[in-house]
Amino acid sequence: WEFEVSYQGGKKAFTYNIAANATVIKNKVTKLYSANTYIGSSSYGRQNQEISRTYEGQPIASFYGWKTAGLYQNQAQIDSDPYISKDGRKDNIKPGDVRFVDVNGDGAITEADRVYLGDPNPRLQYGLQAGANYKGFDLSLSFTGVAGVKLYNADKMQGLDPTYSYNYYAEELPRWHGEGTSNSVPRMTLSDNNGNYRTSDRFIESGNYFTLRNAALGYTIPSHLWGSKSSTNIRVYVAGQNMFIITNYSGLNPALGY
């Protein structure tokens, strides 16, 4: 549903206006007309896996992947981890690799452990507009924001994966390089036998933001002040776009989803 309210006030030399709007979105797939139990997105990344899946009963194109529980700090943690007690990859997992969660409890990390990781569709979109006029001066502000949305930071995934030929993210500097050095950025290796950069909650982030989208401050010069015999006025102004943004998203711009 949507709603919008507005108000205008002031008198004589000073007037102002305020308006606000919001859209609340509820998104759930009720029926898939397909022989498959889900519809997957295009494959992405070195692991060639889809980032999202659409299931009945969930939001469309929900993020889908593995849950994580930090990094293995030493060999003893690998040897005693029930998540990989029956995993054929166990001998290839090294300290500094990501510890993935064995959701179904079978002692191995497999496709069956992939789960819903978040909704890419915002639950709330809102805006706020304000303006004022005083003796020839005028000010206008336009704010927008979203809430209740998750984003997959694919750029971060590539910026941390050493198998890509790109510049690394600065987050790579404090990566794991010995016990206790990091519990979030895995060791650097070109032989990623553990699939550290597979689709997982490591790259799912809140996409909530609040931004000043547009701002303008102007002054209208009456014709008699600049010597014109006509009734034409001149307005001078300064304006800006995307003046600031408040967000916890670590990517380039949550409004772009990138």
Side-chain angles (χ1 to χ4, degrees):
W1 53 270
E2 301 180 2
F3 79 89
E4 181 174 354
V5 294
S6 61
Y7 180 79
Q8 295 181 336
K11 55 185 177 180
K12 296 183 179 179
F14 176 73
T15 60
Y16 63 92
N17 60 84
I18 301 174
N21 61 81
T23 301
V24 178
I25 303 170
K26 293 184 66 176
N27 184 324
K28 184 173 75 171
V29 177
T30 58
K31 180 68 176 178
L32 281 180
Y33 293 92
S34 171
N36 298 324
T37 58
Y38 69 88
I39 299 174
S41 67
S42 299
S43 298
Y44 185 82
R46 292 284 195 226
Q47 306 295 326
N48 197 32
Q49 296 158 345
E50 73 267 78
I51 295 173
S52 66
R53 289 182 179 180
T54 299
Y55 284 94
E56 289 184 6
Q58 292 183 354
I60 190 169
S62 297
F63 293 124
Y64 199 82
W66 284 268
K67 289 186 175 182
T68 61
L71 307 179
Y72 292 108
Q73 297 298 319
N74 51 56
Q75 188 62 43
Q77 290 182 354
I78 298 172
D79 295 340
S80 62
D81 188 6
Y83 288 166
I84 54 173
S85 59
K86 301 176 182 179
D87 198 317
R89 305 174 307 107
K90 187 171 182 177
D91 290 342
N92 293 322
I93 300 174
K94 306 299 181 183
D97 281 339
V98 176
R99 184 185 184 220
F100 294 99
V101 177
D102 178 25
V103 174
N104 66 356
D106 65 356
I109 305 301
T110 66
E111 283 284 328
D113 295 310
R114 298 182 70 182
V115 294
Y116 168 86
L117 296 178
D119 185 358
N121 308 288
R123 296 183 181 180
L124 174 66
Q125 296 177 303
Y126 58 93
L128 176 66
Q129 295 77 42
N133 294 273
Y134 179 71
K135 292 185 177 181
F137 290 95
D138 63 89
L139 173 68
S140 63
L141 303 171
S142 178
F143 301 89
T144 61
V146 301
V149 61
K150 296 293 185 181
L151 296 177
Y152 182 83
N153 194 337
D155 190 69
K156 179 179 178 180
M157 181 273 290
Q158 293 185 339
L160 294 177
D161 187 346
T163 65
Y164 281 96
S165 56
Y166 306 130
N167 291 334
Y168 297 142
Y169 266 38
E171 291 176 57
E172 196 73 77
L173 291 173
R175 65 187 179 276
W176 190 95
H177 55 277
E179 185 171 348
T181 54
S182 176
N183 199 40
S184 58
V185 182
R187 67 190 179 103
M188 182 174 286
T189 176
L190 295 178
S191 56
D192 185 18
N193 296 318
N194 189 46
N196 291 327
Y197 300 92
R198 68 180 79 185
T199 304
S200 72
D201 58 10
R202 292 184 59 219
F203 309 110
I204 303 296
E205 302 181 29
S206 169
N208 299 349
Y209 70 86
F210 175 73
T211 182
L212 175 55
R213 183 73 68 192
N214 296 289
L217 175 65
Y219 178 70
T220 300
I221 306 173
S223 58
H224 69 272
L225 291 182
W226 55 281
S228 174
K229 295 181 180 180
S230 69
S231 60
T232 302
N233 299 326
I234 295 178
R235 180 176 179 266
V236 294
Y237 68 94
V238 291
Q241 293 182 324
N242 301 320
M243 302 294 287
F244 71 79
I245 186 168
I246 300 172
T247 183
N248 289 325
Y249 183 61
S250 66
L252 181 64
N253 188 337
L256 300 177
Y258 183 75

